[in-house]
Amino acid sequence: MRILNLPNKELFHYVLTGKFKAPSADWKHEHFYLAEYELFVMTEGTLYLSYNQENFTVKQGEYLLLPPCNSWRQGFRSAYSSFYWLHFSTASSDFPIEQNESSSLDKEAYFTIPQMGTIPKPEKVVVLMKQLQDEVKNKYPVTTLDSMTTSVVTELYGQLCLNTSVGTKSPAQKQIHSDIIDYIERNISSNIKISEIATHFGYNEKYLSHLFAEITGIPLKQFILSRKMDAANFMLTDSNKAISDIAKELGFSDSHNFSRAYKSFTGLTPSEYRNAFAGRMLYHV
């Protein structure tokens, strides 16, 4: 897989950002020149994009990072999609490299990131991109925009690094870890109990909790709540859904219980969090 060098000790420079939502399934990305890096974070549908003589198919929950190469990007197939995008540049000379060439890099000067992949926690990246858009709309200083741009990219990098650490576990441990996460994602709208997960996979409840904590370093109960709060943050910033509807979608009995859990976890009420990042930039170009 192709990977990219990014400088490890400098702020990235903000250029443009926005959220795009295709008007229909007949939409195809237009023919645009790219003079800087562009990060796509997919929230719905599929993006079919051609760049530098290579075709990319990017699905919900995945990212694509395109480097500057004096080339054009354009859609090669029509489809509905919705995504957040970010253009940024760096002061250093960066270039795409192949995986087997990464050993020659100065490890302290650069970090490497795959050009495309699945985001372990896409909601967290989207929330940062939404915060950046709010800062742009409110005319924050350039230093703030550059810092937040750097935070977006390094949050993605950090998640990928943490996800790689799970790869050091045994095949059986990796499989149960993956199965549990898939189960939580499929049932995020219900009141998930550890006992139900244990029964579903045929494990003792205490053993399963211990095993999950050993693999991830996070207790299973805390992980479930964390995923629900990540989903809540995403819905609070990316949609105009009523808080009562968000509570229902996340398996809480009512908005009061949801708000109490949310404030305990984040220190803010759902309304306070939503109001803090009110400036979404839809169709910004």
Side-chain angles (χ1 to χ4, degrees), residues 155-176:
E155 169 65 28
L156 173 61
Y157 172 67
Q159 286 192 28
L160 296 174
C161 287
L162 287 176
N163 199 49
T164 301
S165 68
V166 175
T168 63
K169 304 300 181 180
S170 71
Q173 287 178 320
K174 287 190 289 185
Q175 186 61 58
I176 190 60

Side-chain angles (χ1 to χ4, degrees), residues 205-216:
E205 182 178 342
K206 289 185 177 180
Y207 172 77
L208 185 68
S209 297
H210 174 76
L211 178 62
F212 188 87
E214 182 181 345
I215 296 172
T216 64

Side-chain angles (χ1 to χ4, degrees), residues 25-242:
D26 295 326
W27 177 81
K28 183 188 293 186
H29 197 290
E30 294 183 28
H31 190 254
F32 286 130
Y33 180 75
L34 183 61
E36 59 274 329
Y37 283 92
E38 182 172 19
L39 173 65
F40 295 87
V41 175
M42 296 296 300
T43 55
E44 293 180 273
T46 304
L47 174 65
Y48 297 96
L49 193 66
S50 178
Y51 181 66
N52 196 26
Q53 301 181 329
E54 188 172 358
N55 289 340
F56 298 94
T57 300
V58 198
K59 300 180 180 180
Q60 180 178 342
E62 296 181 337
Y63 75 92
L64 172 65
L65 180 58
L66 299 180
C69 69
N70 296 319
S71 185
W72 299 79
R73 67 203 190 287
Q74 63 183 23
F76 65 89
R77 180 176 171 183
S78 300
Y80 171 78
S81 64
S82 180
F83 52 83
Y84 281 78
W85 55 270
L86 170 62
H87 288 222
F88 66 95
S89 63
T90 67
S92 303
S93 176
D94 309 312
F95 51 92
I97 60 171
E98 301 300 327
Q99 183 72 44
N100 58 9
E101 297 173 343
S102 62
S103 58
S104 63
L105 289 176
D106 181 348
K107 300 298 184 180
E108 293 188 0
Y110 291 92
F111 66 90
T112 59
I113 187 170
Q115 187 168 6
M116 179 178 165
T118 300
I119 310 174
K121 296 182 179 181
E123 301 90 350
K124 295 188 72 173
V125 179
V126 165
V127 166
L128 289 177
M129 296 183 83
K130 176 62 169 55
Q131 183 175 346
L132 172 60
Q133 292 178 17
D134 184 85
E135 291 172 351
V136 172
K137 278 217 164 186
N138 286 287
K139 303 185 184 306
Y140 275 59
V142 171
T143 299
T144 304
L145 303 184
D146 289 349
S147 296
M148 183 53 65
T149 296
T150 305
S151 294
V152 170
V153 179
T154 54
E155 169 65 28
L156 173 61
Y157 172 67
Q159 286 192 28
L160 296 174
C161 287
L162 287 176
N163 199 49
T164 301
S165 68
V166 175
T168 63
K169 304 300 181 180
S170 71
Q173 287 178 320
K174 287 190 289 185
Q175 186 61 58
I176 190 60
H177 172 265
S178 177
D179 289 345
I180 291 172
I181 291 177
D182 287 345
Y183 180 92
I184 292 170
E185 297 296 341
R186 289 196 310 269
N187 295 278
I188 198 72
S189 60
S190 65
N191 182 17
I192 305 172
K193 293 182 171 59
I194 297 177
S195 58
E196 294 172 352
I197 299 176
T199 299
H200 180 82
F201 291 108
Y203 283 90
N204 173 273
E205 182 178 342
K206 289 185 177 180
Y207 172 77
L208 185 68
S209 297
H210 174 76
L211 178 62
F212 188 87
E214 182 181 345
I215 296 172
T216 64
I218 303 172
L220 182 52
K221 185 176 181 179
Q222 182 180 340
F223 181 84
I224 294 170
L225 180 60
S226 175
R227 278 300 170 97
K228 284 182 179 285
M229 294 299 102
D230 286 343
N233 289 342
F234 173 77
M235 286 187 274
L236 286 167
T237 57
D238 191 62
S239 75
N240 297 318
K241 292 179 180 178

